[in-house]
Amino acid sequence: MGKSNQTLLSEFLILGLSQNPLLQVPIFILFLLMYLFTLLGNLVIITLICIDKHLQTPMYYFLINLSFLDIGFTTVTIPKLLAVCLKAKESDKFIHFSACILQLYFMASFISTEFYLLSVMAYDRYIAICKPLRYASIMNKRAMITLTVTSWTIGFLDTIAHVVLVSNLSFCASNEINHFFCDFNALLKLSCTDTYFINIATFGEGIVVGFGPFILTITSYVLIISRIMKIPSNTGRQKLFSTCSSHLTAVVLFYGTELGVYMKPTSGHSLDKDKLFAVMYTVVIPMLNPILYSLRNKDVKGAFEKAIGKLRQTHCTALI
């Protein structure tokens, strides 16, 4: 493999989170449970919003899209990690070059899309709280769909160039990826090609894709908090602060981990630390988002209780 370049390389070896054999089963059980909890939580949110007319508003429409993104994050990465942990077959630890590039593309696209979607959600909350009388006219169905489609489209388009550049690199040192998926930085570490141009392009895109939406998001929340502070009622302030603090927590966690990994100088990268950050944005944050955004919400709780009540009623009727 030492003389092979991209055209001859057929597979990468995924090392996973740890090389310690004693940790493989605990890691498998932990991440399987987290994966199932993530799927369940996000599917419950999607189902409740689809069946309850009271939740069919722009805010919850954006939450459906966030839930699909969260399911995408985990589904693209975790099944391979679980296979690596089990090692039922040695081939389970390998990933074909084309599959690796495809995994890289989807991960980068999901990350980019979530940057834009979080900005859209912050803008939606800004209009709802700071311009409530104009909310219905500004955030109408057409605007809602346009903002969502634009987020997904830009997210999946602006990563193509970087993925193409990576796919054309030469890999001549090793085929072992020190990660649990085909991570951008991990692949650059394996390349024997000069990656200076790719690093500069990535940093430039990070400023636009990462810091641009981040500044818009934070600006929206600053204006929201400023507006909340002017509300005379303590009850009203506490209710809005509770909602905004949940949203802001999710935003800070996602932006903090992503920008912390991909905006550092190349010399400062530690793949072991990158793996810990990756666990945050591929598993932990998608698992927490249903709680932070929705399950603490009174309307969602009401819809959940109503759905459970209907299921019980249907079950009792069937038994009779």
Side-chain angles (χ1 to χ4, degrees), residues 241-298:
F241 265 128
S242 177
T243 303
C244 290
S245 63
S246 298
H247 292 195
L248 202 53
T249 299
V251 167
V252 170
L253 284 173
F254 183 76
Y255 278 106
T257 53
E258 284 294 335
L259 297 180
V261 171
Y262 295 106
M263 294 302 289
K264 288 189 302 185
T266 308
S267 58
H269 274 293
S270 165
L271 290 180
D272 290 330
K273 290 182 179 178
D274 285 359
K275 284 192 281 188
L276 294 178
F277 279 111
V279 168
M280 284 293 295
Y281 65 77
T282 60
V283 187
V284 177
I285 295 175
M287 183 179 64
L288 292 178
N289 274 343
I291 299 172
L292 292 173
Y293 277 102
S294 302
L295 297 183
R296 290 180 57 188
N297 185 291
K298 184 176 66 175

Side-chain angles (χ1 to χ4, degrees), residues 9-252:
L9 185 65
S10 60
E11 290 181 318
F12 286 112
L13 177 65
I14 302 291
L15 297 182
L17 285 172
S18 173
Q19 297 299 294
N20 188 339
L22 297 177
L23 293 178
Q24 299 308 310
V25 173
I27 289 174
F28 174 84
I29 294 172
L30 175 63
F31 280 83
L32 176 61
L33 292 175
M34 294 172 75
Y35 180 50
L36 294 176
F37 188 86
T38 300
L39 291 180
L40 178 63
N42 283 287
L43 288 174
V44 166
I45 295 303
I46 292 170
T47 303
L48 288 177
I49 295 173
C50 289
I51 65 175
D52 195 308
K53 293 182 178 180
H54 296 95
L55 298 181
Q56 293 173 6
T57 63
M59 180 179 76
Y60 294 109
Y61 174 78
F62 296 136
L63 280 176
I64 285 181
N65 284 270
L66 184 64
S67 289
F68 277 119
L69 278 173
D70 288 339
I71 290 172
F73 271 121
T74 54
T75 302
V76 166
T77 56
I78 301 308
K80 186 62 182 179
L81 172 61
L82 297 178
V84 169
C85 290
L86 283 181
K87 291 185 293 185
K89 296 182 294 183
E90 186 65 24
S91 60
D92 289 335
K93 297 187 69 174
F94 286 88
I95 185 170
H96 194 273
F97 180 83
S98 57
C100 182
I101 294 301
L102 193 62
Q103 187 184 56
L104 173 66
Y105 171 69
F106 276 106
M107 277 302 299
S109 299
F110 287 145
I111 290 170
S112 181
T113 301
E114 186 150 340
F115 280 144
Y116 292 114
L117 187 62
L118 289 174
S119 294
V120 168
M121 294 171 72
Y123 174 71
D124 171 73
R125 291 300 82 205
Y126 162 73
I127 298 298
I129 294 172
C130 299
K131 301 179 184 296
L133 298 179
R134 298 180 57 196
Y135 181 74
S137 60
I138 295 175
M139 199 57 66
N140 53 46
K141 186 175 181 180
R142 181 176 180 180
M144 183 176 68
I145 294 174
T146 300
L147 288 170
T148 305
V149 171
T150 300
S151 297
W152 282 90
T153 303
I154 295 177
F156 273 75
L157 288 179
D158 67 10
T159 56
I160 292 176
H162 290 279
V163 173
V164 170
L165 288 173
V166 172
S167 68
N168 285 284
L169 290 174
S170 295
F171 299 96
C172 52
S174 171
N175 72 330
E176 295 183 349
I177 296 179
N178 184 18
H179 216 290
F180 61 93
F181 65 93
C182 290
D183 177 68
F184 181 78
N185 292 323
L187 286 171
L188 292 188
K189 288 277 187 181
L190 294 182
S191 175
C192 56
T193 307
D194 184 7
T195 59
Y196 176 79
F197 175 74
I198 295 180
N199 288 322
I200 293 298
T202 302
F203 187 82
E205 186 192 34
I207 292 176
V208 176
V209 176
F211 280 109
F214 178 70
I215 291 171
L216 290 174
T217 303
I218 294 300
T219 300
S220 296
Y221 280 113
V222 168
L223 294 173
I224 288 170
I225 293 171
S226 176
R227 175 69 181 85
I228 291 174
M229 293 300 295
K230 296 177 182 178
I231 297 176
S233 168
N234 287 331
T235 304
R237 280 202 303 267
Q238 289 175 359
K239 181 180 178 181
L240 290 174
F241 265 128
S242 177
T243 303
C244 290
S245 63
S246 298
H247 292 195
L248 202 53
T249 299
V251 167
V252 170

